[in-house]
């Protein structure tokens, strides 16, 4: 588990809250089971346009499942999820359109090994958004420059470091011009020296106003980039607050215990 190391002080939280837009992602009374395991229990969450919400909690608390329900990689048993006021479609072309609006970056990079970096980034815009290939390539190169791997465009994923591959995965998601970006523990598969280069890209996206839901164990990133921290345990949201409030005065005993274990070492 990647947590803030002893030598790394937790950066100060944002001093003033950023203005937020309208509600974009809304979960109401969401429940989800895997067999007998109740992984999401009466989850209510609203994420606004331009808001960065960081979801933290112990392993098995339901964080990744929560993330995966928002682009319907996981279905829910009950409750509702809406994106920009519309319910998530069940299947077919409408679901494909939804997934084009919800970018997702996973722990594993999920790049196509037989395609170059540039081809990985242009595939979605050309096939799904029906963009002209030349336009898609021009925009892809701009995005690759933005995430710091513009000089790797003609290489294959296996020729890149893990940090570079994850930055390509971020560029690929951004190429679809999503309304919201989901990050499911995007640094957990990386060597320690590669973590910051990915977190730096994510921090820049946050500052640029991208709506983001980030599941992570990186507490430094949570304090530096989040507008709101959501703490989960046992499939429930136990508390949510600004980073400053959560890290200095958590309300629940469970959150206090969690923070004491990961920040005291």
């Amino acid at each position: 588990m990647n947590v803030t190391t002893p030598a790394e002080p937790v950066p100060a939280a944002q001093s003033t809250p950023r203005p937020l837009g309208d509600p974009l992602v809304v979960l109401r009374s969401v429940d989800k089971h895997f067999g007998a395991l109740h992984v999401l229990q009466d989850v209510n969450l609203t994420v606004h346009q331009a808001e960065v919400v960081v979801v933290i909690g112990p392993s098995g608390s339901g964080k990744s499942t929560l993330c995966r329900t928002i682009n319907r990689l996981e279905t829910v048993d009950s409750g509702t999820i809406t994106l920009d006021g519309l319910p998530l479609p069940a299947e077919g072309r409408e679901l494909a359109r939804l997934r084009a609006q919800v970018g997702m970056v996973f722990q594993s990079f999920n790049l196509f090994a037989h395609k170059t970096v540039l081809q990985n980034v242009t595939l979605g815009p050309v096939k799904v958004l029906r963009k002209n290939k030349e336009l898609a390539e021009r925009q892809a190169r701009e995005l690759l420059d933005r995430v710091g791997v513009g000089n790797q465009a003609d290489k294959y994923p296996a020729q890149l470091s893990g940090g570079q591959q994850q930055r390509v995965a971020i560029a690929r998601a951004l190429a679809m011009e999503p309304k919201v970006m989901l990050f499911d523990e995007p640094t957990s598969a990386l060597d320690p020296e590669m973590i910051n280069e990915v977190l730096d890209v994510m921090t820049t996206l946050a500052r640029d106003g991208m709506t983001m839901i980030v599941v992570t164990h990186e507490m430094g990133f949570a304090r530096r980039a989040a507008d709101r921290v959501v703490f989960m345990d046992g499939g429930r949201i136990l508390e949510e607050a600004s980073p400053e409030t959560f890290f200095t005065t958590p309300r629940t005993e469970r959150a206090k215990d969690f923070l004491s274990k990961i920040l005291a070492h």
Side-chain angles (χ1 to χ4, degrees):
M1 181 167 85
N2 297 320
V3 298
T4 304
T5 59
E8 180 192 349
V10 178
Q14 298 180 124
S15 55
T16 55
R18 293 185 299 120
L20 302 177
D22 295 330
L24 181 60
V25 178
V26 179
L27 291 83
R28 288 284 175 265
S29 304
V30 168
D31 276 82
K32 170 70 177 176
H33 293 78
F34 289 129
L37 187 62
H38 200 170
V39 290
L40 294 178
Q41 303 187 43
D42 193 28
V43 171
N44 292 280
L45 180 67
T46 298
V47 180
H48 296 79
Q49 291 174 355
E51 186 176 18
V52 179
V53 173
V54 173
V55 184
I56 65 174
S59 297
S61 59
K63 308 183 302 294
S64 291
T65 302
L66 171 71
C67 202
R68 291 168 65 86
T69 62
I70 295 170
N71 70 346
R72 219 174 178 279
L73 286 175
E74 299 288 354
T75 58
V76 300
D77 299 329
S78 60
T80 61
I81 303 175
T82 58
L83 174 67
D84 211 3
L86 299 174
L88 302 192
E91 57 188 15
R93 291 182 180 177
E94 291 298 321
L95 181 57
R97 273 196 280 270
L98 163 83
R99 290 188 173 142
Q101 296 174 352
V102 181
M104 187 149 188
V105 179
F106 301 87
Q107 300 177 38
S108 53
F109 320 123
N110 290 354
L111 299 174
F112 291 109
H114 64 289
K115 293 185 179 294
T116 66
V117 164
L118 185 65
Q119 289 168 338
N120 266 279
V121 178
T122 58
L123 185 64
V126 171
K127 296 291 187 183
V128 179
L129 302 183
R130 303 298 181 188
K131 281 192 178 181
N132 170 277
K133 184 179 178 182
E134 289 184 4
L135 173 62
E137 288 188 353
R138 185 166 71 249
Q139 292 176 336
R141 289 185 186 278
E142 290 171 358
L143 286 170
L144 290 169
D145 283 337
R146 183 177 174 188
V147 300
V149 289
N151 59 346
Q152 311 294 330
D154 298 320
K155 292 184 178 179
Y156 289 88
Q159 297 174 280
L160 274 56
S161 70
Q164 289 172 326
Q165 289 186 61
Q166 193 60 296
R167 284 184 281 162
V168 172
I170 293 172
R172 179 183 58 183
L174 290 172
M176 298 298 289
E177 301 174 10
K179 293 180 178 179
V180 58
M181 287 278 285
L182 309 177
F183 294 85
D184 185 9
E185 300 196 27
T187 61
S188 64
L190 299 178
D191 292 334
E193 66 269 22
M194 298 176 185
I195 291 172
N196 282 341
E197 64 188 49
V198 173
L199 293 179
D200 286 346
V201 170
M202 293 168 61
T203 301
T204 300
L205 288 178
R207 288 175 182 156
D208 289 347
M210 173 60 71
T211 308
M212 296 164 58
I213 302 171
V214 184
V215 173
T216 186
H217 292 297
E218 298 292 339
M219 299 300 113
F221 173 81
R223 286 199 77 157
R224 182 171 66 247
D227 296 297
R228 182 161 38 123
V229 174
V230 170
F231 176 72
M232 293 187 70
D233 189 39
R236 295 181 181 274
I237 293 177
L238 296 190
E239 59 182 287
E240 47 186 307
S242 70
E244 183 63 30
T245 299
F246 179 76
F247 285 107
T248 57
T249 54
R251 291 185 294 103
T252 62
E253 290 302 318
R254 186 66 188 93
K256 291 175 185 175
D257 179 60
F258 175 79
L259 289 174
S260 70
K261 289 175 178 174
I262 65 170
L263 296 180
H265 299 290

